[in-house]
Amino acid sequence: MLKFPKDFQIGASMSAMQTEGKGITPIGELAFDKYFKEHPELFFEGVGPDITSDITRHYKDDLKMFGQIGLESIRTGFSWARLFPDGKTLNQEAVDFYHDYIKEYKRNNIKLFMTLFHFDMPLWAHEKGGWESREVIDSFVKYANFVFTEYKDSVDYYVTFNEPLVPVYEGYLNDKHYPAINDPKAAVEQAFGIFLAHSKVLLEFRKHNLKAPIGVVYNWNYTYAFSQSKEDIEASKIYDAYVNRGPLNIMYNGTFDPILFKTLDEFGMLPTYTNEEIEIIKKTKIDFLGVNYYFPCRVKTVECKDPRWIMDCMKIEIPSDAKINPHRGWEIYPEALYEMGMEIKEKFNNIPWYIAENGMGVENEERFRDETGIIQDDYRIEFLNDHLTQIHRAVEEGSNCFGYHLWAAIDCWSFRNAYKNRYGLVEVNLKDQSRKFKKSASWYKELIENKFK
């Protein structure tokens, strides 16, 4: 079994919205609540965001189970809509809940990463224009300032955004997130607002002089050209500027890829901004980087007539001989993690970083339940081992990777997919909210224990 350094954190991730549901305190309505009310038929088996894994009622038992596995750290988050249900009025019940919740992590000797925003846009904020609205951005900064003031260093690591552009691509260029429109100009405005909000929060955070570091968690689905043709290579560079390294560099240290400005300008797609806002973004500096990795992006040019923007002229295509997770239709390519680790070492000043999400989602996992009632998820163990092997290789060669979080600690609700594909080490029974370890939990426990042998 792989042996990592003792100070290499091995843990797991989840999120507020995907585990809390409505919970035990008041909470403001989310954009996803509205989506579910309008189109419940789009959500797998009609399971919406009301209950999810109900962790606000079960967290003491859940964290005890996480402790039994030996998880050394967990990433989850605060809910903006729970702390400020209408965007203005503080909900003291929520404040107290999060204090109790954080203390329970300490009791179980689990370090805590807390995210400020993980796809959970309050409905009032969406109705004001989402991240395009400077009023919404200012409210987000006030919420972040409250969190830093109230919870201080009881949180071990702060995270501004998880997968910041996923709600943009899935909600403004797709129908997976609300508002489910396809409008590149709106997508660009939303993305710029996220970059600005991230940078403003970082500047405010520095005023608090906390010991805890702050970073961002970015979904870096490593970019490759589909072929060695000149056209595919050029398309991969542009795709990278829009989806992977380009936005990552903005949120890492406030640098803009010239390709981004050039191609947006060519199509009349530049966002609305002021010089002052650009200067704020240029001041961006994070303390650590979290990376979510599930699959690579192999970029291919396509014929495009009357493109709205440059991204209409390319697509992602999976090679015919690729290994696939058939439940998600995603390519499985662990080797990208090693390349990523080397790139962070060489081009990102070897910033402290960790894998914030990586996991294997499978549909109908109950098919693999044995006679004792335990899900024998050997496919997950194989996936984790293959990816951890590449991380281990990068660490051995000097990449400053300090940990690995699988997705997910526990089965989580997953937006329109609900519980279609399960990822957890811990199984959730939606009928009675009971919990049960899967086989992978024992394997993960052994992996953690092996650090200290």
Side-chain angles (χ1 to χ4, degrees), residues 86-131:
D86 62 2
K88 298 176 182 178
T89 309
L90 181 66
N91 175 11
Q92 190 59 44
E93 288 182 57
V95 175
D96 296 340
F97 163 73
Y98 283 118
H99 274 299
D100 291 341
Y101 190 47
I102 290 168
K103 287 175 184 174
E104 200 65 25
Y105 281 91
K106 303 301 178 188
R107 291 190 187 102
N108 286 278
N109 199 31
I110 299 172
K111 291 181 179 179
L112 185 59
F113 293 65
M114 288 296 270
T115 311
L116 295 172
F117 188 84
H118 190 137
F119 306 170
D120 48 350
M121 179 64 80
L123 182 58
W124 69 264
H126 169 76
E127 290 175 342
K128 286 183 177 291
W131 297 113

Coordinates of all heavy atoms in Angstrom, one line a residue, residues 86-131:
D86 N -32.0 36.6 4.2 CA -32.5 37.6 3.3 C -31.3 38.4 2.7 O -31.6 39.4 2.0 CB -33.5 38.5 3.9 CG -33.0 39.3 5.1 OD1 -31.8 39.2 5.4 OD2 -33.8 40.0 5.7
G87 N -30.1 38.0 3.0 CA -28.9 38.7 2.5 C -28.5 39.8 3.4 O -27.4 40.4 3.3
K88 N -29.3 40.2 4.4 CA -29.0 41.3 5.3 C -29.1 41.0 6.8 O -28.3 41.4 7.6 CB -30.0 42.5 5.0 CG -29.9 43.0 3.6 CD -30.9 44.1 3.4 CE -30.8 44.7 1.9 NZ -31.9 45.7 1.6
T89 N -30.1 40.2 7.2 CA -30.4 39.9 8.6 C -29.7 38.7 9.0 O -29.8 37.6 8.5 CB -31.9 39.7 8.8 OG1 -32.6 40.8 8.2 CG2 -32.2 39.6 10.3
L90 N -28.9 38.8 10.1 CA -28.1 37.7 10.6 C -29.0 36.7 11.3 O -29.9 37.1 12.1 CB -27.1 38.2 11.6 CG -26.1 37.2 12.2 CD1 -25.3 36.5 11.2 CD2 -25.3 37.8 13.3
N91 N -28.8 35.4 11.1 CA -29.6 34.4 11.7 C -28.7 33.8 12.8 O -27.8 33.0 12.6 CB -29.9 33.3 10.6 CG -30.6 32.1 11.2 OD1 -31.0 32.1 12.4 ND2 -30.7 31.0 10.4
Q92 N -29.1 34.2 14.1 CA -28.2 33.8 15.2 C -28.3 32.2 15.4 O -27.3 31.7 15.8 CB -28.7 34.5 16.5 CG -27.8 34.3 17.7 CD -26.4 34.8 17.4 OE1 -26.2 35.9 16.9 NE2 -25.4 34.0 17.8
E93 N -29.4 31.6 15.1 CA -29.5 30.2 15.2 C -28.4 29.5 14.3 O -27.8 28.5 14.7 CB -30.8 29.6 14.8 CG -31.9 29.9 15.8 CD -33.3 29.4 15.3 OE1 -33.3 28.1 15.1 OE2 -34.2 30.2 15.1
A94 N -28.2 30.0 13.1 CA -27.2 29.5 12.2 C -25.8 29.8 12.7 O -24.9 28.9 12.6 CB -27.4 30.1 10.8
V95 N -25.6 30.9 13.3 CA -24.3 31.3 13.9 C -23.9 30.3 14.9 O -22.8 29.7 15.0 CB -24.3 32.7 14.5 CG1 -23.0 33.0 15.2 CG2 -24.6 33.7 13.4
D96 N -24.9 30.0 15.8 CA -24.7 29.0 16.9 C -24.5 27.6 16.4 O -23.6 26.9 16.9 CB -25.8 29.0 17.9 CG -26.0 30.4 18.6 OD1 -25.0 31.2 18.6 OD2 -27.1 30.7 19.1
F97 N -25.2 27.2 15.3 CA -25.1 25.9 14.8 C -23.7 25.7 14.3 O -23.0 24.7 14.5 CB -26.1 25.7 13.6 CG -25.7 24.5 12.8 CD1 -25.8 23.2 13.2 CD2 -25.1 24.7 11.5 CE1 -25.3 22.1 12.4 CE2 -24.7 23.7 10.7 CZ -24.8 22.4 11.2
Y98 N -23.1 26.7 13.5 CA -21.8 26.5 12.9 C -20.7 26.5 14.0 O -19.7 25.8 13.9 CB -21.5 27.6 11.9 CG -22.2 27.3 10.6 CD1 -23.2 28.2 10.0 CD2 -21.9 26.1 9.8 CE1 -23.8 27.9 8.8 CE2 -22.6 25.9 8.6 CZ -23.5 26.7 8.1 OH -24.1 26.5 7.0
H99 N -20.9 27.2 15.1 CA -20.0 27.1 16.2 C -20.0 25.7 16.8 O -18.9 25.1 17.0 CB -20.3 28.1 17.3 CG -19.8 29.4 17.2 ND1 -18.4 29.7 17.1 CD2 -20.4 30.7 17.0 CE1 -18.2 31.0 16.9 NE2 -19.4 31.6 16.9
D100 N -21.2 25.1 17.0 CA -21.3 23.7 17.5 C -20.7 22.7 16.5 O -20.0 21.8 16.9 CB -22.7 23.4 17.8 CG -23.3 24.2 19.0 OD1 -22.5 24.7 19.7 OD2 -24.5 24.2 19.0
Y101 N -21.0 23.0 15.2 CA -20.5 22.1 14.2 C -19.0 22.1 14.1 O -18.3 21.0 14.1 CB -21.1 22.6 12.9 CG -20.9 21.8 11.6 CD1 -21.2 20.4 11.6 CD2 -20.6 22.4 10.4 CE1 -21.1 19.6 10.5 CE2 -20.4 21.6 9.2 CZ -20.7 20.3 9.3 OH -20.6 19.5 8.1
I102 N -18.4 23.2 14.2 CA -16.9 23.4 14.1 C -16.3 22.7 15.3 O -15.3 22.0 15.2 CB -16.5 24.8 14.0 CG1 -16.9 25.4 12.6 CG2 -15.0 25.0 14.3 CD1 -16.8 26.9 12.5
K103 N -16.9 22.9 16.5 CA -16.4 22.3 17.7 C -16.4 20.8 17.6 O -15.5 20.1 18.2 CB -17.2 22.7 18.9 CG -16.9 24.2 19.4 CD -17.9 24.6 20.5 CE -17.7 26.1 20.8 NZ -18.7 26.5 21.8
E104 N -17.3 20.2 17.0 CA -17.4 18.8 16.8 C -16.3 18.2 16.0 O -15.8 17.1 16.2 CB -18.8 18.4 16.2 CG -19.2 16.9 16.5 CD -19.4 16.6 18.0 OE1 -19.7 17.5 18.8 OE2 -19.2 15.4 18.3
Y105 N -15.8 19.0 15.0 CA -14.6 18.6 14.2 C -13.4 18.5 15.1 O -12.6 17.6 15.1 CB -14.4 19.5 13.1 CG -15.3 19.3 11.9 CD1 -16.5 19.9 11.7 CD2 -14.9 18.4 10.9 CE1 -17.4 19.6 10.7 CE2 -15.7 18.1 9.8 CZ -17.0 18.7 9.7 OH -17.8 18.5 8.6
K106 N -13.3 19.5 16.0 CA -12.2 19.6 16.9 C -12.2 18.4 17.9 O -11.2 17.8 18.2 CB -12.2 20.9 17.8 CG -12.2 22.2 16.9 CD -11.0 22.3 16.0 CE -11.0 23.5 15.2 NZ -10.0 23.6 14.2
R107 N -13.4 18.0 18.4 CA -13.5 16.9 19.3 C -13.1 15.6 18.6 O -12.6 14.7 19.3 CB -15.0 16.7 19.7 CG -15.4 17.9 20.7 CD -16.8 17.5 21.3 NE -17.3 18.7 22.1 CZ -18.2 19.5 21.6 NH1 -18.8 19.3 20.4 NH2 -18.6 20.5 22.4
N108 N -13.3 15.5 17.3 CA -12.9 14.3 16.5 C -11.5 14.4 15.9 O -11.1 13.6 15.1 CB -14.0 14.0 15.5 CG -15.2 13.4 16.1 OD1 -15.3 12.3 16.4 ND2 -16.2 14.3 16.3
N109 N -10.8 15.5 16.3 CA -9.4 15.7 15.8 C -9.3 15.8 14.3 O -8.4 15.2 13.7 CB -8.5 14.6 16.4 CG -7.0 15.0 16.3 OD1 -6.7 16.2 16.4 ND2 -6.2 14.0 16.1
I110 N -10.3 16.4 13.7 CA -10.3 16.6 12.2 C -10.1 18.1 11.9 O -10.9 18.9 12.3 CB -11.7 16.1 11.6 CG1 -11.9 14.6 12.0 CG2 -11.7 16.3 10.1 CD1 -13.3 14.1 11.6
K111 N -9.1 18.3 11.1 CA -8.9 19.7 10.6 C -10.0 20.1 9.6 O -10.6 19.2 8.9 CB -7.6 19.8 9.9 CG -6.4 19.7 10.8 CD -5.1 19.9 10.1 CE -3.9 19.8 11.1 NZ -2.6 19.9 10.4
L112 N -10.3 21.4 9.6 CA -11.5 21.8 8.8 C -11.2 22.9 7.8 O -10.7 23.9 8.1 CB -12.6 22.3 9.8 CG -13.9 22.7 9.3 CD1 -14.6 21.6 8.6 CD2 -14.8 23.3 10.4
F113 N -11.5 22.6 6.6 CA -11.5 23.6 5.5 C -13.0 24.1 5.3 O -13.9 23.2 5.1 CB -11.1 22.9 4.2 CG -9.7 22.5 4.1 CD1 -9.2 21.5 4.9 CD2 -8.8 23.1 3.2 CE1 -7.9 21.0 4.8 CE2 -7.5 22.6 3.1 CZ -7.0 21.6 3.9
M114 N -13.2 25.4 5.4 CA -14.6 25.9 5.2 C -14.6 26.8 4.0 O -13.9 27.8 3.9 CB -15.0 26.6 6.5 CG -15.3 25.7 7.6 SD -16.7 24.6 7.3 CE -18.1 25.6 7.9
T115 N -15.6 26.5 3.1 CA -15.8 27.2 1.8 C -16.9 28.2 2.0 O -17.9 28.0 2.7 CB -16.2 26.2 0.7 OG1 -15.3 25.1 0.7 CG2 -16.2 26.8 -0.6
L116 N -16.7 29.4 1.4 CA -17.7 30.4 1.5 C -18.8 30.3 0.4 O -19.9 30.7 0.7 CB -17.0 31.8 1.4 CG -16.0 32.2 2.5 CD1 -15.3 33.5 2.1 CD2 -16.8 32.4 3.8
F117 N -18.4 29.7 -0.7 CA -19.5 29.6 -1.8 C -19.2 28.3 -2.6 O -18.1 28.1 -3.1 CB -19.4 30.8 -2.7 CG -20.6 30.8 -3.7 CD1 -21.8 31.3 -3.4 CD2 -20.4 30.2 -5.0 CE1 -22.9 31.2 -4.3 CE2 -21.4 30.2 -5.9 CZ -22.7 30.7 -5.5
H118 N -20.2 27.4 -2.6 CA -20.1 26.2 -3.3 C -21.4 25.9 -4.0 O -22.3 25.1 -3.6 CB -19.8 25.0 -2.3 CG -19.5 23.7 -3.0 ND1 -18.4 22.9 -2.5 CD2 -20.0 23.1 -4.0 CE1 -18.4 21.8 -3.3 NE2 -19.3 21.9 -4.2
F119 N -21.7 26.7 -5.1 CA -22.8 26.6 -6.0 C -24.2 27.0 -5.3 O -25.2 26.9 -6.0 CB -23.0 25.1 -6.5 CG -21.8 24.5 -7.1 CD1 -21.8 23.1 -7.4 CD2 -20.7 25.2 -7.5 CE1 -20.8 22.5 -8.1 CE2 -19.6 24.6 -8.1 CZ -19.7 23.3 -8.4
D120 N -24.1 27.5 -4.1 CA -25.4 27.8 -3.4 C -25.8 29.2 -3.4 O -25.8 29.9 -2.4 CB -25.3 27.2 -1.9 CG -24.0 27.7 -1.2 OD1 -23.1 28.2 -1.9 OD2 -23.9 27.5 0.0
M121 N -26.1 29.7 -4.6 CA -26.5 31.1 -4.8 C -27.9 31.4 -4.1 O -28.9 30.7 -4.5 CB -26.6 31.4 -6.3 CG -27.0 32.9 -6.6 SD -25.9 34.1 -6.0 CE -24.6 34.1 -7.3
P122 N -27.9 32.3 -3.2 CA -29.2 32.7 -2.6 C -30.1 33.2 -3.7 O -29.7 33.9 -4.6 CB -28.9 33.8 -1.6 CG -27.4 33.5 -1.3 CD -26.8 33.0 -2.6
L123 N -31.4 32.9 -3.6 CA -32.4 33.4 -4.7 C -32.4 34.9 -4.8 O -32.4 35.4 -5.9 CB -33.8 32.8 -4.4 CG -34.8 33.1 -5.4 CD1 -34.4 32.6 -6.8 CD2 -36.2 32.6 -5.0
W124 N -32.4 35.6 -3.6 CA -32.4 37.0 -3.7 C -31.2 37.6 -4.5 O -31.4 38.5 -5.3 CB -32.5 37.7 -2.3 CG -31.2 37.5 -1.5 CD1 -30.9 36.6 -0.6 CD2 -30.0 38.3 -1.7 NE1 -29.6 36.7 -0.1 CE2 -29.0 37.8 -0.8 CE3 -29.7 39.4 -2.4 CZ2 -27.8 38.4 -0.6 CZ3 -28.4 40.0 -2.3 CH2 -27.4 39.5 -1.4
A125 N -30.1 36.9 -4.3 CA -28.9 37.4 -5.0 C -29.0 37.1 -6.5 O -28.6 37.9 -7.4 CB -27.6 36.7 -4.4
H126 N -29.5 35.9 -6.8 CA -29.7 35.6 -8.3 C -30.7 36.6 -8.9 O -30.4 37.0 -10.1 CB -30.3 34.2 -8.4 CG -30.8 33.9 -9.8 ND1 -29.9 33.6 -10.8 CD2 -32.1 33.9 -10.3 CE1 -30.6 33.4 -11.9 NE2 -31.9 33.6 -11.6
E127 N -31.7 37.0 -8.2 CA -32.7 37.9 -8.8 C -32.2 39.3 -9.0 O -32.7 40.1 -9.8 CB -34.0 37.9 -7.9 CG -34.7 36.6 -8.0 CD -35.9 36.5 -7.0 OE1 -35.9 37.3 -6.1 OE2 -36.8 35.7 -7.2
K128 N -31.1 39.6 -8.3 CA -30.4 40.9 -8.5 C -29.3 40.8 -9.6 O -28.7 41.8 -9.8 CB -29.8 41.4 -7.2 CG -30.8 41.9 -6.2 CD -30.2 42.4 -4.9 CE -31.2 43.0 -4.0 NZ -31.8 44.2 -4.5
G129 N -29.2 39.7 -10.2 CA -28.2 39.5 -11.3 C -27.1 38.6 -11.0 O -26.2 38.5 -11.8
G130 N -27.1 38.0 -9.8 CA -26.0 37.1 -9.5 C -24.7 37.8 -9.4 O -24.6 38.9 -9.0
W131 N -23.6 37.2 -9.9 CA -22.3 37.7 -9.8 C -22.0 38.9 -10.7 O -21.0 39.6 -10.6 CB -21.2 36.7 -10.0 CG -21.3 35.6 -9.0 CD1 -21.6 34.3 -9.2 CD2 -21.0 35.7 -7.6 NE1 -21.6 33.6 -8.0 CE2 -21.2 34.4 -7.0 CE3 -20.6 36.8 -6.8 CZ2 -21.0 34.2 -5.6 CZ3 -20.4 36.5 -5.4 CH2 -20.6 35.3 -4.9

